Amino acid sequence: MPESPEARRPEGLVARLRSLRALDVEVAMRAAVAAAVPLAVLVALGRVDLASYAAFGGMAAIFGRSEPYRIRMRTVGTAGAVQFGAVGLGILLSVTQAPLAVEAISLGVVIAVVIVVFNTLGVTPSGPLFAVFAVLVCAAQPVDDGSGWMRWGIAGMAAAFAWLLAMSGWLLRHAVRAREAAIFKPLPRQAPLRPLAATDPRVWLNVVQNVLAALAAGGIALGLGIGHPYWAVVAAIAVIPPARAAHTAQRAVHRVIGTAIGAGLTGLVLWPEPPVWALVLVIAICQFAAELLVGRHYGAALVFVTPLALTVAHLAAPTPLPALLGDRLVETVVGAIIGVAAVLLARRFVEHVPMPPPTAATPSIRPMEEP
């Protein structure tokens, strides 16, 4: 009997790092360029205050790793459209100064739509983390000068650049089609359509899990009255695995530890008050490292995802470092606790209410597929 992909998966962080391939480096470089170029343009134009909009659009490049181009066109396009829509919704909430109840309902709708759409179209990672992050950060930034359309346009241009960058290799492969196999690495990852995903109870369990964790984490952070409550929401969702993946406490703990270490790393980066160009370089490096590790060990990837997110937020709205780190650490702990609780509750739920077995249309997620 051939060995399963799960059995071949290296055990332990060191073994997984040793298993990195040239294709992993290529994917990580693509994501880093998609993050750095739009930010560098804004810095050159003296509009670093718009950095978060470009960063959220550029996050589309995180998707579609190692996929053939006919599939990548769909998955990265879907991710770019979701990021574009999430930024637009956040700007709309800010412009209209929407009440908290409306923002909470909008957040729940975004989570449900993203999880269902991504699982249906085979987009990986299939969680709502990046869309939620975009909605909440953009909603928190004041837009009272009529520049909402410009901000949304920046996100759209960054998403389009990320899509073009993700598809750029097709031209090179097409130009040397006869020698493609000898020059380029194969693109092995498949992202099959799952037309029955919207009827899969595991998908809706993941929706409920994320919505309740997001609202609980945000509510507690608001009650504590510190910082921006969206960090607690993001921390909670980062801990929750995607639909159709195993709900294990070990994975949740890995994610919590990675987030906490990342917050400490952020302090080391921002404490010397480096120039803006240095922060753009830090963002690119963190994006590269996060994408390099995300398919191997998500806890290790979060060590770099966290300073990436915090540095982008700091560029858009500088905050005194003690307040930034203190608030974020507290909110990260709050969100992480809620996220772990959501994982454990979902695990207990499926023990008492068994989910239907995986099918060809709604398969389980293999370890290598999980972000």
Side-chain angles (χ1 to χ4, degrees), residues 32 57 70 82 92 142 150 152 158 180 193 203 205 243 305 330 334 351:
R70 68 183 184 280
V82 165
L92 180 62
M150 179 186 70
W152 198 23
E180 178 181 347
L193 295 173
V203 170
L205 173 62
V305 170
V330 172
V334 169
E351 289 175 354

Side-chain angles (χ1 to χ4, degrees), residues 160-227:
F161 174 70
W163 186 88
L164 291 172
L165 192 63
M167 298 301 298
S168 60
W170 179 86
L171 293 175
L172 298 177
R173 290 173 182 262
H174 187 74
V176 294
R177 182 177 297 275
R179 301 186 59 199
E180 178 181 347
I183 297 175
F184 294 101
K185 298 289 184 181
L187 300 172
R189 171 169 285 181
Q190 297 299 311
L193 295 173
R194 299 179 175 115
L196 299 181
T199 64
D200 188 349
R202 294 170 295 176
V203 170
W204 289 104
L205 173 62
N206 193 242
V207 169
V208 172
Q209 188 182 18
N210 276 274
V211 170
L212 294 181
L215 296 180
I220 292 173
L222 282 171
L224 293 175
I226 59 171

